[in-house]
Amino acid sequence: MQQARTRAGSQTKFLLEESQLPRHWYNIRPDMPTGLQPVLHPGTGQPVGPDDLAPLFPMELIGQEVSEDAEIAIPDEVLELYSLWRPTPLFRAWRLEEAIGTRSRIFYKYEGVSPPGSHKPNTAVAQAFYNKQEGRTRLATETGAGQWGSALAFACKLIGLECKVYMVKISYEQKPNRRSMIQAWGAEIVPSPSEETQCGRAILEEHPDSPGSLGIAISEAVEDAAGRDDTAYSLGSVLNHVLLHQTVIGQEAVAQMELAGAFPDVVIGCVGGGSNFAGLAFPFLREKIAGREIDVLACEPAACPTLTRGLFAYDFGDTSKLTPLVPMHTLGHDFVPAPIHAGGLRYHGVAPLISQLVRDGLIRAEAYLQNDVFESAVLFAGSEGILPAPEAAHAIHGTLQVAKEADEAGEERTILFNLSGHGHFDMGAYDNYFAGKLEDVALDEDEMERALHAIEGLPVPA
Ligand SMILES: Cc1ncc(COP(=O)(O)O)c(C=O)c1O
């Protein structure tokens, strides 16, 4: 009751006007203490140039991939599409704070208000726009949980491009409704590994029951795009330009925290390839690099512990070794993570930008078991009302850990986390959790060693 009285008259949602939408994306590269190591051509071992990437990406995105400009203007057409769901709300989690009895203040940025239900369209509309502008008529992509596939299908539909989605087979089976959503936005969708590409067929021959992985689905989409002039490849995470497009999240959050009269001591996000985490965290990391004290925490699944247990190494972005070699934390390109329900976090690598910032000690990481994550998701849904995506629930779990540690130390923190998406298409996962059927999988040492053999003989980063 005491808490409730304190809350009366206090604000829950911090909203920006459409006119306050950020006009540029924030590029963290010029602010980083250590520069990125180059992406290498696997054949020559030399840094890749624009011509190597031109068959897969439009020139504007290739330029953004290597840009050292601090700000990149957002085209008006993209801003117009953003205005369908942006700016997104920032909430003070009063009820969650009460439920756990913490002295800390908890805020969250909610990206689930976009039409597909996550942060993914922030880059999907930008990528579709530049591809259309440079004359491509079709995009090919992969999707894990289905969030990225639906975001790109949505963007292509609104911008006027064809779209082909290779969906990781386990998710294709677990999430028939995401499939229909992708089809509703006019995209073609197949389970991966599929019979439609050479690499899909090769994997099926060796492992007919393969549940698929993001690494495999990326191979299929890259092969598709490389084989057709009308088609470009589109990636929903990992690459510099994708993380760049997501920085609208953090820029809005900086302004909204100001409206709330607060600034975070701790910034938290879940990490698959790293795009929603970067989107929220990078504008705050700019402040940290400038000397402000902020704890920046990346949350990942124990079944795919790329940042906490992987190596920083050159590795392929996909299973069939079609991509350039990328300097990043990795578990090895042929690692197939256990079929946990946070499908969007089942990727063997992490964005080079995040990997480098972890190496520089600016970001720390923790890994969690899925039953603990779902327990936190249900606690959150029971207090704040929103049913989170299993991926986003990792950030909720991380937040609860930080609040608990602060309470135990007799301290209070201002915590901000990214609620990257809702879980309305993840009810099968919740069904399994309630039925006690979710397996807790922590990656075992033997499998990790086996998978890391795949990177032996590849160039070693400095
Ligand atoms: C809701 C949600 N959050 C997080 C992720 C993880 O991706 P990233 O690390 O690029 O944000 C996904 C991926 O599909 C997702 O759907």
Side-chain angles (χ1 to χ4, degrees), residues 118-120 145 147 236-237 270-276 344-345 389 391-392 420-421:
S118 78
H119 64 293
K120 296 284 180 181
Q147 289 270 23
S237 192
C270 68
V271 171
S275 72
N276 87 89
L345 306 185
E391 292 83 2
S420 53

Side-chain angles (χ1 to χ4, degrees), residues 117-120 143-149 175 178 214 236-238 242-243 246 270-278 342-346 354 388-393 418-422 426:
S118 78
H119 64 293
K120 296 284 180 181
T143 193
Q147 289 270 23
W148 168 243
K175 297 184 165 196
R178 272 279 164 207
L214 276 172
S237 192
V238 181
V242 180
L243 274 55
Q246 293 293 352
C270 68
V271 171
S275 72
N276 87 89
F277 173 81
L345 306 185
R346 294 179 66 240
I354 292 176
E391 292 83 2
N418 202 10
L419 188 62
S420 53
H422 67 63
D426 300 282

Side-chain angles (χ1 to χ4, degrees), residues 29 36-53 56-57 65-66 239-240 312-318 321-328 352 455 457-462:
R29 283 185 76 160
L36 282 188
Q37 309 206 27
V39 169
L40 302 180
H41 191 290
T44 63
Q46 294 303 306
V48 295
D51 291 347
D52 297 313
L53 298 174
L56 292 182
F57 301 106
E65 194 60 23
V66 295
L239 298 177
N240 303 343
F312 181 79
Y314 270 111
D315 197 6
F316 293 96
D318 72 315
K321 306 193 267 193
L322 299 177
T323 70
L325 290 167
V326 181
M328 62 179 176
I455 59 175
L458 294 178
V460 177

Side-chain angles (χ1 to χ4, degrees), residues 12 32 96 130 140 146 156 191 227 234 270 276 287 309 319 349 414 434 459:
T12 298
M32 285 171 71
L96 178 66
Y130 290 121
C156 284
S234 177
C270 68
N276 87 89
E287 306 282 330
R309 293 175 61 200
T319 305
T414 299
F434 291 128

Side-chain angles (χ1 to χ4, degrees), residues 137-222:
T137 57
R138 179 177 176 273
L139 294 182
T141 197
E142 72 292 329
T143 193
Q147 289 270 23
W148 168 243
S150 37
L152 195 68
F154 157 78
C156 284
K157 185 70 185 171
L158 268 64
I159 280 175
L161 296 173
E162 285 177 54
C163 181
K164 170 78 176 262
V165 179
Y166 294 86
M167 184 167 185
V168 175
K169 194 193 281 165
I170 179 84
S171 297
Y172 187 90
E173 286 160 3
Q174 283 171 348
K175 297 184 165 196
N177 297 332
R178 272 279 164 207
R179 248 194 268 163
S180 306
M181 193 178 197
I182 289 168
Q183 285 171 326
W185 276 315
E188 193 191 330
I189 178 163
V190 288
S192 164
S194 78
E195 293 287 349
E196 301 194 14
T197 62
Q198 262 178 28
C199 51
R201 288 189 293 273
I203 286 162
L204 283 174
E205 204 166 295
E206 217 180 308
H207 306 287
D209 296 327
S210 168
S213 70
L214 276 172
I216 295 170
I218 292 173
S219 296
E220 292 207 90
V222 168

